[in-house]
PDB file of all heavy atoms in Angstrom:
ATOM      1  N   PRO A   1     182.678  61.199  23.188  1.00 96.00           N
ATOM      2  CA  PRO A   1     182.761  60.255  22.066  1.00 96.00           C
ATOM      3  C   PRO A   1     183.509  60.817  20.856  1.00 96.00           C
ATOM      4  O   PRO A   1     183.967  60.051  20.004  1.00 96.00           O
ATOM      5  CB  PRO A   1     181.290  59.972  21.736  1.00 96.00           C
ATOM      6  CG  PRO A   1     180.546  61.168  22.228  1.00 96.00           C
ATOM      7  CD  PRO A   1     181.279  61.614  23.455  1.00 96.00           C
ATOM      8  N   GLU A   2     183.615  62.153  20.814  1.00 97.00           N
ATOM      9  CA  GLU A   2     184.347  62.772  19.700  1.00 97.00           C
ATOM     10  C   GLU A   2     185.862  62.689  19.909  1.00 97.00           C
ATOM     11  O   GLU A   2     186.638  62.938  18.976  1.00 97.00           O
ATOM     12  CB  GLU A   2     183.918  64.234  19.536  1.00 97.00           C
ATOM     13  CG  GLU A   2     184.422  65.193  20.593  1.00 97.00           C
ATOM     14  CD  GLU A   2     183.659  65.142  21.917  1.00 97.00           C
ATOM     15  OE1 GLU A   2     182.751  64.298  22.073  1.00 97.00           O
ATOM     16  OE2 GLU A   2     183.979  65.960  22.810  1.00 97.00           O
ATOM     17  N   ILE A   3     186.274  62.327  21.129  1.00 97.00           N
ATOM     18  CA  ILE A   3     187.712  62.246  21.432  1.00 97.00           C
ATOM     19  C   ILE A   3     188.188  60.795  21.525  1.00 97.00           C
ATOM     20  O   ILE A   3     189.228  60.436  20.965  1.00 97.00           O
ATOM     21  CB  ILE A   3     188.022  62.970  22.760  1.00 97.00           C
ATOM     22  CG1 ILE A   3     187.680  64.461  22.652  1.00 97.00           C
ATOM     23  CG2 ILE A   3     189.492  62.774  23.156  1.00 97.00           C
ATOM     24  CD1 ILE A   3     187.925  65.236  23.938  1.00 97.00           C
ATOM     25  N   TYR A   4     187.407  59.937  22.232  1.00 98.00           N
ATOM     26  CA  TYR A   4     187.885  58.594  22.567  1.00 98.00           C
ATOM     27  C   TYR A   4     187.102  57.506  21.847  1.00 98.00           C
ATOM     28  O   TYR A   4     185.885  57.615  21.632  1.00 98.00           O
ATOM     29  CB  TYR A   4     187.775  58.354  24.077  1.00 98.00           C
ATOM     30  CG  TYR A   4     188.515  59.354  24.921  1.00 98.00           C
ATOM     31  CD1 TYR A   4     187.832  60.355  25.605  1.00 98.00           C
ATOM     32  CD2 TYR A   4     189.897  59.305  25.032  1.00 98.00           C
ATOM     33  CE1 TYR A   4     188.507  61.277  26.392  1.00 98.00           C
ATOM     34  CE2 TYR A   4     190.586  60.216  25.815  1.00 98.00           C
ATOM     35  CZ  TYR A   4     189.884  61.213  26.487  1.00 98.00           C
ATOM     36  OH  TYR A   4     190.563  62.125  27.251  1.00 98.00           O
ATOM     37  N   GLY A   5     187.816  56.434  21.508  1.00 97.00           N
ATOM     38  CA  GLY A   5     187.172  55.200  21.080  1.00 97.00           C
ATOM     39  C   GLY A   5     186.876  54.348  22.303  1.00 97.00           C
ATOM     40  O   GLY A   5     187.163  54.746  23.435  1.00 97.00           O
ATOM     41  N   VAL A   6     186.331  53.158  22.098  1.00 98.00           N
ATOM     42  CA  VAL A   6     185.883  52.357  23.248  1.00 98.00           C
ATOM     43  C   VAL A   6     186.906  51.313  23.698  1.00 98.00           C
ATOM     44  O   VAL A   6     186.693  50.640  24.698  1.00 98.00           O
ATOM     45  CB  VAL A   6     184.536  51.651  22.939  1.00 98.00           C
ATOM     46  CG1 VAL A   6     183.446  52.680  22.733  1.00 98.00           C
ATOM     47  CG2 VAL A   6     184.650  50.735  21.724  1.00 98.00           C
ATOM     48  N   ASP A   7     187.998  51.186  22.992  1.00 98.00           N
ATOM     49  CA  ASP A   7     189.009  50.182  23.338  1.00 98.00           C
ATOM     50  C   ASP A   7     190.072  50.821  24.236  1.00 98.00           C
ATOM     51  O   ASP A   7     190.383  52.011  24.101  1.00 98.00           O
ATOM     52  CB  ASP A   7     189.654  49.631  22.062  1.00 98.00           C
ATOM     53  CG  ASP A   7     190.554  48.432  22.322  1.00 98.00           C
ATOM     54  OD1 ASP A   7     190.596  47.957  23.477  1.00 98.00           O
ATOM     55  OD2 ASP A   7     191.208  47.973  21.370  1.00 98.00           O
ATOM     56  N   GLY A   8     190.613  50.035  25.133  1.00 98.00           N
ATOM     57  CA  GLY A   8     191.686  50.541  25.963  1.00 98.00           C
ATOM     58  C   GLY A   8     191.974  49.649  27.151  1.00 98.00           C
ATOM     59  O   GLY A   8     191.225  48.723  27.455  1.00 98.00           O
ATOM     60  N   LYS A   9     193.076  49.934  27.821  1.00 98.00           N
ATOM     61  CA  LYS A   9     193.440  49.193  29.026  1.00 98.00           C
ATOM     62  C   LYS A   9     194.356  50.058  29.875  1.00 98.00           C
ATOM     63  O   LYS A   9     194.896  51.076  29.418  1.00 98.00           O
ATOM     64  CB  LYS A   9     194.114  47.872  28.674  1.00 98.00           C
ATOM     65  CG  LYS A   9     195.314  47.957  27.752  1.00 98.00           C
ATOM     66  CD  LYS A   9     195.776  46.547  27.367  1.00 98.00           C
ATOM     67  CE  LYS A   9     196.938  46.597  26.391  1.00 98.00           C
ATOM     68  NZ  LYS A   9     197.391  45.231  26.026  1.00 98.00           N
ATOM     69  N   CYS A  10     194.527  49.641  31.124  1.00 98.00           N
ATOM     70  CA  CYS A  10     195.371  50.397  32.038  1.00 98.00           C
ATOM     71  C   CYS A  10     196.037  49.435  33.008  1.00 98.00           C
ATOM     72  O   CYS A  10     195.583  48.311  33.187  1.00 98.00           O
ATOM     73  CB  CYS A  10     194.552  51.441  32.798  1.00 98.00           C
ATOM     74  SG  CYS A  10     193.169  50.748  33.749  1.00 98.00           S
ATOM     75  N   GLN A  11     197.109  49.901  33.620  1.00 98.00           N
ATOM     76  CA  GLN A  11     197.724  49.112  34.681  1.00 98.00           C
ATOM     77  C   GLN A  11     198.277  50.051  35.747  1.00 98.00           C
ATOM     78  O   GLN A  11     198.673  51.175  35.466  1.00 98.00           O
ATOM     79  CB  GLN A  11     198.809  48.173  34.150  1.00 98.00           C
ATOM     80  CG  GLN A  11     200.025  48.821  33.553  1.00 98.00           C
ATOM     81  CD  GLN A  11     201.022  47.793  33.022  1.00 98.00           C
ATOM     82  OE1 GLN A  11     200.646  46.760  32.475  1.00 98.00           O
ATOM     83  NE2 GLN A  11     202.299  48.088  33.164  1.00 98.00           N
ATOM     84  N   VAL A  12     198.253  49.538  36.967  1.00 98.00           N
ATOM     85  CA  VAL A  12     198.692  50.324  38.119  1.00 98.00           C
ATOM     86  C   VAL A  12     199.750  49.534  38.882  1.00 98.00           C
ATOM     87  O   VAL A  12     199.538  48.351  39.200  1.00 98.00           O
ATOM     88  CB  VAL A  12     197.503  50.655  39.049  1.00 98.00           C
ATOM     89  CG1 VAL A  12     197.992  51.394  40.294  1.00 98.00           C
ATOM     90  CG2 VAL A  12     196.455  51.490  38.311  1.00 98.00           C
ATOM     91  N   SER A  13     200.870  50.185  39.167  1.00 98.00           N
ATOM     92  CA  SER A  13     201.951  49.568  39.939  1.00 98.00           C
ATOM     93  C   SER A  13     201.993  50.187  41.329  1.00 98.00           C
ATOM     94  O   SER A  13     202.042  51.419  41.466  1.00 98.00           O
ATOM     95  CB  SER A  13     203.294  49.785  39.239  1.00 98.00           C
ATOM     96  OG  SER A  13     203.297  49.199  37.955  1.00 98.00           O
ATOM     97  N   VAL A  14     201.971  49.330  42.350  1.00 98.00           N
ATOM     98  CA  VAL A  14     201.958  49.790  43.738  1.00 98.00           C
ATOM     99  C   VAL A  14     203.241  49.345  44.430  1.00 98.00           C
ATOM    100  O   VAL A  14     203.623  48.173  44.361  1.00 98.00           O
ATOM    101  CB  VAL A  14     200.730  49.226  44.491  1.00 98.00           C
ATOM    102  CG1 VAL A  14     200.768  49.663  45.957  1.00 98.00           C
ATOM    103  CG2 VAL A  14     199.437  49.687  43.824  1.00 98.00           C
ATOM    104  N   GLU A  15     203.889  50.294  45.101  1.00 98.00           N
ATOM    105  CA  GLU A  15     205.127  49.994  45.836  1.00 98.00           C
ATOM    106  C   GLU A  15     204.790  49.671  47.290  1.00 98.00           C
ATOM    107  O   GLU A  15     203.922  50.307  47.893  1.00 98.00           O
ATOM    108  CB  GLU A  15     206.076  51.180  45.761  1.00 98.00           C
ATOM    109  CG  GLU A  15     207.472  50.878  46.278  1.00 98.00           C
ATOM    110  CD  GLU A  15     208.478  51.954  45.910  1.00 98.00           C
ATOM    111  OE1 GLU A  15     208.122  52.900  45.177  1.00 98.00           O
ATOM    112  OE2 GLU A  15     209.628  51.840  46.372  1.00 98.00           O
ATOM    113  N   TYR A  16     205.498  48.676  47.848  1.00 97.00           N
ATOM    114  CA  TYR A  16     205.257  48.205  49.213  1.00 97.00           C
ATOM    115  C   TYR A  16     206.515  48.380  50.046  1.00 97.00           C
ATOM    116  O   TYR A  16     207.641  48.323  49.539  1.00 97.00           O
ATOM    117  CB  TYR A  16     204.860  46.731  49.205  1.00 97.00           C
ATOM    118  CG  TYR A  16     203.488  46.472  48.620  1.00 97.00           C
ATOM    119  CD1 TYR A  16     203.272  46.561  47.247  1.00 97.00           C
ATOM    120  CD2 TYR A  16     202.411  46.149  49.438  1.00 97.00           C
ATOM    121  CE1 TYR A  16     202.015  46.344  46.708  1.00 97.00           C
ATOM    122  CE2 TYR A  16     201.151  45.926  48.906  1.00 97.00           C
ATOM    123  CZ  TYR A  16     200.960  46.018  47.540  1.00 97.00           C
ATOM    124  OH  TYR A  16     199.715  45.814  47.010  1.00 97.00           O
ATOM    125  N   ASP A  17     206.310  48.552  51.370  1.00 95.00           N
ATOM    126  CA  ASP A  17     207.455  48.639  52.266  1.00 95.00           C
ATOM    127  C   ASP A  17     207.868  47.243  52.729  1.00 95.00           C
ATOM    128  O   ASP A  17     207.295  46.232  52.299  1.00 95.00           O
ATOM    129  CB  ASP A  17     207.155  49.557  53.456  1.00 95.00           C
ATOM    130  CG  ASP A  17     206.008  49.050  54.332  1.00 95.00           C
ATOM    131  OD1 ASP A  17     205.688  47.841  54.279  1.00 95.00           O
ATOM    132  OD2 ASP A  17     205.444  49.854  55.091  1.00 95.00           O
ATOM    133  N   LYS A  18     208.820  47.167  53.635  1.00 94.00           N
ATOM    134  CA  LYS A  18     209.351  45.876  54.057  1.00 94.00           C
ATOM    135  C   LYS A  18     208.336  45.061  54.850  1.00 94.00           C
ATOM    136  O   LYS A  18     208.487  43.857  55.022  1.00 94.00           O
ATOM    137  CB  LYS A  18     210.618  46.072  54.881  1.00 94.00           C
ATOM    138  CG  LYS A  18     210.412  46.877  56.162  1.00 94.00           C
ATOM    139  CD  LYS A  18     211.733  47.066  56.891  1.00 94.00           C
ATOM    140  CE  LYS A  18     211.538  47.864  58.183  1.00 94.00           C
ATOM    141  NZ  LYS A  18     212.832  48.054  58.879  1.00 94.00           N
ATOM    142  N   ASN A  19     207.278  45.724  55.336  1.00 92.00           N
ATOM    143  CA  ASN A  19     206.208  45.021  56.054  1.00 92.00           C
ATOM    144  C   ASN A  19     205.042  44.660  55.136  1.00 92.00           C
ATOM    145  O   ASN A  19     203.969  44.286  55.613  1.00 92.00           O
ATOM    146  CB  ASN A  19     205.709  45.889  57.211  1.00 92.00           C
ATOM    147  CG  ASN A  19     206.782  46.140  58.252  1.00 92.00           C
ATOM    148  OD1 ASN A  19     207.497  45.220  58.660  1.00 92.00           O
ATOM    149  ND2 ASN A  19     206.920  47.393  58.674  1.00 92.00           N
ATOM    150  N   ASP A  20     205.268  44.790  53.841  1.00 92.00           N
ATOM    151  CA  ASP A  20     204.277  44.460  52.816  1.00 92.00           C
ATOM    152  C   ASP A  20     203.040  45.355  52.904  1.00 92.00           C
ATOM    153  O   ASP A  20     201.924  44.918  52.634  1.00 92.00           O
ATOM    154  CB  ASP A  20     203.862  42.984  52.892  1.00 92.00           C
ATOM    155  CG  ASP A  20     203.381  42.460  51.537  1.00 92.00           C
ATOM    156  OD1 ASP A  20     203.873  42.946  50.500  1.00 92.00           O
ATOM    157  OD2 ASP A  20     202.498  41.575  51.507  1.00 92.00           O
ATOM    158  N   LYS A  21     203.254  46.618  53.260  1.00 94.00           N
ATOM    159  CA  LYS A  21     202.181  47.608  53.283  1.00 94.00           C
ATOM    160  C   LYS A  21     202.348  48.545  52.090  1.00 94.00           C
ATOM    161  O   LYS A  21     203.460  49.014  51.807  1.00 94.00           O
ATOM    162  CB  LYS A  21     202.212  48.427  54.583  1.00 94.00           C
ATOM    163  CG  LYS A  21     201.945  47.618  55.838  1.00 94.00           C
ATOM    164  CD  LYS A  21     200.499  47.148  55.892  1.00 94.00           C
ATOM    165  CE  LYS A  21     200.191  46.431  57.200  1.00 94.00           C
ATOM    166  NZ  LYS A  21     198.807  45.903  57.238  1.00 94.00           N
ATOM    167  N   PRO A  22     201.265  48.829  51.366  1.00 96.00           N
ATOM    168  CA  PRO A  22     201.378  49.730  50.214  1.00 96.00           C
ATOM    169  C   PRO A  22     201.733  51.145  50.654  1.00 96.00           C
ATOM    170  O   PRO A  22     201.150  51.674  51.618  1.00 96.00           O
ATOM    171  CB  PRO A  22     199.985  49.678  49.578  1.00 96.00           C
ATOM    172  CG  PRO A  22     199.072  49.198  50.655  1.00 96.00           C
ATOM    173  CD  PRO A  22     199.891  48.327  51.542  1.00 96.00           C
ATOM    174  N   THR A  23     202.707  51.735  49.967  1.00 97.00           N
ATOM    175  CA  THR A  23     203.146  53.086  50.335  1.00 97.00           C
ATOM    176  C   THR A  23     202.784  54.116  49.271  1.00 97.00           C
ATOM    177  O   THR A  23     202.405  55.238  49.591  1.00 97.00           O
ATOM    178  CB  THR A  23     204.659  53.119  50.559  1.00 97.00           C
ATOM    179  OG1 THR A  23     205.328  52.649  49.363  1.00 97.00           O
ATOM    180  CG2 THR A  23     205.049  52.226  51.742  1.00 97.00           C
ATOM    181  N   ASN A  24     202.916  53.746  48.010  1.00 97.00           N
ATOM    182  CA  ASN A  24     202.618  54.704  46.945  1.00 97.00           C
ATOM    183  C   ASN A  24     202.428  53.982  45.616  1.00 97.00           C
ATOM    184  O   ASN A  24     202.828  52.811  45.459  1.00 97.00           O
ATOM    185  CB  ASN A  24     203.728  55.741  46.811  1.00 97.00           C
ATOM    186  CG  ASN A  24     205.034  55.128  46.334  1.00 97.00           C
ATOM    187  OD1 ASN A  24     205.743  54.474  47.107  1.00 97.00           O
ATOM    188  ND2 ASN A  24     205.354  55.324  45.066  1.00 97.00           N
ATOM    189  N   VAL A  25     201.821  54.668  44.678  1.00 98.00           N
ATOM    190  CA  VAL A  25     201.704  54.173  43.309  1.00 98.00           C
ATOM    191  C   VAL A  25     202.920  54.661  42.542  1.00 98.00           C
ATOM    192  O   VAL A  25     203.150  55.874  42.434  1.00 98.00           O
ATOM    193  CB  VAL A  25     200.401  54.664  42.649  1.00 98.00           C
ATOM    194  CG1 VAL A  25     200.402  54.351  41.159  1.00 98.00           C
ATOM    195  CG2 VAL A  25     199.187  54.026  43.320  1.00 98.00           C
ATOM    196  N   SER A  26     203.708  53.726  42.034  1.00 98.00           N
ATOM    197  CA  SER A  26     204.946  54.108  41.355  1.00 98.00           C
ATOM    198  C   SER A  26     204.737  54.394  39.874  1.00 98.00           C
ATOM    199  O   SER A  26     205.474  55.184  39.284  1.00 98.00           O
ATOM    200  CB  SER A  26     205.998  53.006  41.520  1.00 98.00           C
ATOM    201  OG  SER A  26     205.539  51.784  40.959  1.00 98.00           O
ATOM    202  N   CYS A  27     203.698  53.750  39.279  1.00 98.00           N
ATOM    203  CA  CYS A  27     203.494  53.961  37.844  1.00 98.00           C
ATOM    204  C   CYS A  27     202.048  53.671  37.459  1.00 98.00           C
ATOM    205  O   CYS A  27     201.435  52.720  37.965  1.00 98.00           O
ATOM    206  CB  CYS A  27     204.433  53.059  37.035  1.00 98.00           C
ATOM    207  SG  CYS A  27     204.399  53.364  35.248  1.00 98.00           S
ATOM    208  N   VAL A  28     201.520  54.494  36.563  1.00 98.00           N
ATOM    209  CA  VAL A  28     200.204  54.274  35.966  1.00 98.00           C
ATOM    210  C   VAL A  28     200.368  54.305  34.457  1.00 98.00           C
ATOM    211  O   VAL A  28     200.967  55.241  33.910  1.00 98.00           O
ATOM    212  CB  VAL A  28     199.190  55.358  36.394  1.00 98.00           C
ATOM    213  CG1 VAL A  28     197.830  55.085  35.756  1.00 98.00           C
ATOM    214  CG2 VAL A  28     199.075  55.432  37.905  1.00 98.00           C
ATOM    215  N   VAL A  29     199.865  53.274  33.802  1.00 98.00           N
ATOM    216  CA  VAL A  29     199.927  53.212  32.337  1.00 98.00           C
ATOM    217  C   VAL A  29     198.508  53.177  31.788  1.00 98.00           C
ATOM    218  O   VAL A  29     197.687  52.369  32.233  1.00 98.00           O
ATOM    219  CB  VAL A  29     200.695  51.963  31.849  1.00 98.00           C
ATOM    220  CG1 VAL A  29     200.785  51.965  30.327  1.00 98.00           C
ATOM    221  CG2 VAL A  29     202.086  51.903  32.464  1.00 98.00           C
ATOM    222  N   VAL A  30     198.220  54.055  30.856  1.00 98.00           N
ATOM    223  CA  VAL A  30     196.917  54.083  30.198  1.00 98.00           C
ATOM    224  C   VAL A  30     197.134  54.038  28.692  1.00 98.00           C
ATOM    225  O   VAL A  30     197.860  54.874  28.131  1.00 98.00           O
ATOM    226  CB  VAL A  30     196.113  55.348  30.560  1.00 98.00           C
ATOM    227  CG1 VAL A  30     194.841  55.429  29.708  1.00 98.00           C
ATOM    228  CG2 VAL A  30     195.762  55.355  32.032  1.00 98.00           C
ATOM    229  N   SER A  31     196.522  53.068  28.057  1.00 97.00           N
ATOM    230  CA  SER A  31     196.495  53.005  26.597  1.00 97.00           C
ATOM    231  C   SER A  31     195.032  53.034  26.189  1.00 97.00           C
ATOM    232  O   SER A  31     194.295  52.073  26.440  1.00 97.00           O
ATOM    233  CB  SER A  31     197.171  51.725  26.092  1.00 97.00           C
ATOM    234  OG  SER A  31     198.546  51.722  26.412  1.00 97.00           O
ATOM    235  N   ILE A  32     194.608  54.135  25.578  1.00 97.00           N
ATOM    236  CA  ILE A  32     193.206  54.312  25.244  1.00 97.00           C
ATOM    237  C   ILE A  32     193.060  54.764  23.796  1.00 97.00           C
ATOM    238  O   ILE A  32     193.822  55.609  23.315  1.00 97.00           O
ATOM    239  CB  ILE A  32     192.532  55.318  26.209  1.00 97.00           C
ATOM    240  CG1 ILE A  32     191.024  55.401  25.963  1.00 97.00           C
ATOM    241  CG2 ILE A  32     193.185  56.681  26.142  1.00 97.00           C
ATOM    242  CD1 ILE A  32     190.278  56.193  27.029  1.00 97.00           C
ATOM    243  N   GLN A  33     192.098  54.171  23.130  1.00 97.00           N
ATOM    244  CA  GLN A  33     191.849  54.503  21.730  1.00 97.00           C
ATOM    245  C   GLN A  33     191.330  55.939  21.616  1.00 97.00           C
ATOM    246  O   GLN A  33     190.491  56.380  22.410  1.00 97.00           O
ATOM    247  CB  GLN A  33     190.819  53.530  21.150  1.00 97.00           C
ATOM    248  CG  GLN A  33     190.555  53.706  19.669  1.00 97.00           C
ATOM    249  CD  GLN A  33     189.444  52.778  19.175  1.00 97.00           C
ATOM    250  OE1 GLN A  33     188.775  52.137  19.977  1.00 97.00           O
ATOM    251  NE2 GLN A  33     189.261  52.713  17.874  1.00 97.00           N
ATOM    252  N   THR A  34     191.853  56.658  20.657  1.00 97.00           N
ATOM    253  CA  THR A  34     191.375  58.007  20.389  1.00 97.00           C
ATOM    254  C   THR A  34     190.916  58.102  18.935  1.00 97.00           C
ATOM    255  O   THR A  34     191.306  57.293  18.089  1.00 97.00           O
ATOM    256  CB  THR A  34     192.472  59.056  20.643  1.00 97.00           C
ATOM    257  OG1 THR A  34     193.575  58.803  19.765  1.00 97.00           O
ATOM    258  CG2 THR A  34     192.944  58.998  22.083  1.00 97.00           C
ATOM    259  N   LYS A  35     190.082  59.086  18.688  1.00 96.00           N
ATOM    260  CA  LYS A  35     189.606  59.298  17.327  1.00 96.00           C
ATOM    261  C   LYS A  35     190.726  59.904  16.480  1.00 96.00           C
ATOM    262  O   LYS A  35     191.640  60.560  16.996  1.00 96.00           O
ATOM    263  CB  LYS A  35     188.374  60.212  17.325  1.00 96.00           C
ATOM    264  CG  LYS A  35     187.177  59.608  18.061  1.00 96.00           C
ATOM    265  CD  LYS A  35     186.698  58.326  17.398  1.00 96.00           C
ATOM    266  CE  LYS A  35     185.579  57.639  18.174  1.00 96.00           C
ATOM    267  NZ  LYS A  35     184.321  58.375  18.162  1.00 96.00           N
ATOM    268  N   GLU A  36     190.635  59.696  15.196  1.00 93.00           N
ATOM    269  CA  GLU A  36     191.669  60.173  14.276  1.00 93.00           C
ATOM    270  C   GLU A  36     191.801  61.692  14.347  1.00 93.00           C
ATOM    271  O   GLU A  36     190.810  62.414  14.473  1.00 93.00           O
ATOM    272  CB  GLU A  36     191.319  59.732  12.853  1.00 93.00           C
ATOM    273  CG  GLU A  36     192.484  59.805  11.892  1.00 93.00           C
ATOM    274  CD  GLU A  36     192.201  59.101  10.581  1.00 93.00           C
ATOM    275  OE1 GLU A  36     191.100  58.561  10.421  1.00 93.00           O
ATOM    276  OE2 GLU A  36     193.097  59.103   9.712  1.00 93.00           O
ATOM    277  N   SER A  37     193.029  62.159  14.296  1.00 91.00           N
ATOM    278  CA  SER A  37     193.372  63.594  14.255  1.00 91.00           C
ATOM    279  C   SER A  37     193.166  64.304  15.597  1.00 91.00           C
ATOM    280  O   SER A  37     193.270  65.528  15.665  1.00 91.00           O
ATOM    281  CB  SER A  37     192.568  64.333  13.170  1.00 91.00           C
ATOM    282  OG  SER A  37     192.817  63.759  11.899  1.00 91.00           O
ATOM    283  N   VAL A  38     192.871  63.563  16.669  1.00 95.00           N
ATOM    284  CA  VAL A  38     192.764  64.187  17.990  1.00 95.00           C
ATOM    285  C   VAL A  38     194.168  64.330  18.571  1.00 95.00           C
ATOM    286  O   VAL A  38     194.907  63.356  18.693  1.00 95.00           O
ATOM    287  CB  VAL A  38     191.874  63.354  18.936  1.00 95.00           C
ATOM    288  CG1 VAL A  38     191.889  63.956  20.342  1.00 95.00           C
ATOM    289  CG2 VAL A  38     190.454  63.293  18.404  1.00 95.00           C
ATOM    290  N   GLU A  39     194.529  65.544  18.932  1.00 94.00           N
ATOM    291  CA  GLU A  39     195.870  65.817  19.438  1.00 94.00           C
ATOM    292  C   GLU A  39     195.998  65.381  20.913  1.00 94.00           C
ATOM    293  O   GLU A  39     195.023  65.352  21.656  1.00 94.00           O
ATOM    294  CB  GLU A  39     196.176  67.313  19.334  1.00 94.00           C
ATOM    295  CG  GLU A  39     196.159  67.861  17.908  1.00 94.00           C
ATOM    296  CD  GLU A  39     197.318  67.326  17.076  1.00 94.00           C
ATOM    297  OE1 GLU A  39     198.363  66.972  17.668  1.00 94.00           O
ATOM    298  OE2 GLU A  39     197.166  67.252  15.847  1.00 94.00           O
ATOM    299  N   ARG A  40     197.235  65.092  21.290  1.00 95.00           N
ATOM    300  CA  ARG A  40     197.506  64.641  22.659  1.00 95.00           C
ATOM    301  C   ARG A  40     197.044  65.662  23.694  1.00 95.00           C
ATOM    302  O   ARG A  40     196.511  65.291  24.742  1.00 95.00           O
ATOM    303  CB  ARG A  40     199.012  64.357  22.817  1.00 95.00           C
ATOM    304  CG  ARG A  40     199.414  63.935  24.231  1.00 95.00           C
ATOM    305  CD  ARG A  40     200.872  63.545  24.301  1.00 95.00           C
ATOM    306  NE  ARG A  40     201.092  62.260  23.694  1.00 95.00           N
ATOM    307  CZ  ARG A  40     201.029  61.091  24.319  1.00 95.00           C
ATOM    308  NH1 ARG A  40     200.713  61.058  25.610  1.00 95.00           N
ATOM    309  NH2 ARG A  40     201.265  59.967  23.697  1.00 95.00           N
ATOM    310  N   ASN A  41     197.243  66.936  23.426  1.00 93.00           N
ATOM    311  CA  ASN A  41     196.868  67.946  24.422  1.00 93.00           C
ATOM    312  C   ASN A  41     195.361  68.001  24.647  1.00 93.00           C
ATOM    313  O   ASN A  41     194.896  68.593  25.613  1.00 93.00           O
ATOM    314  CB  ASN A  41     197.400  69.327  24.018  1.00 93.00           C
ATOM    315  CG  ASN A  41     196.862  69.790  22.663  1.00 93.00           C
ATOM    316  OD1 ASN A  41     195.974  69.168  22.094  1.00 93.00           O
ATOM    317  ND2 ASN A  41     197.400  70.882  22.157  1.00 93.00           N
TER     318      ASN A  41
END
């Protein structure tokens, strides 16, 4: 709780082959609230 706030969202992108079967996750996006002055690292 000293690092993160409670607001946030995420999205996951999945790549499919020509047979419409999932092969890999191409991208993950996370936007999450952090407390003031908390560094990215």
Side-chain angles (χ1 to χ4, degrees):
E2 73 282 4
I3 298 178
Y4 303 104
V6 296
D7 189 6
K9 54 186 177 180
C10 58
Q11 65 182 37
V12 176
S13 299
V14 177
E15 190 167 355
Y16 290 74
D17 62 20
K18 61 182 180 181
N19 296 315
D20 206 31
K21 296 291 185 183
T23 57
N24 66 284
V25 170
S26 60
C27 186
V28 180
V29 182
V30 172
S31 295
I32 186 170
Q33 184 184 9
T34 61
K35 297 297 175 69
E36 197 168 0
S37 301
V38 175
E39 299 291 334
R40 178 175 286 270
N41 60 9

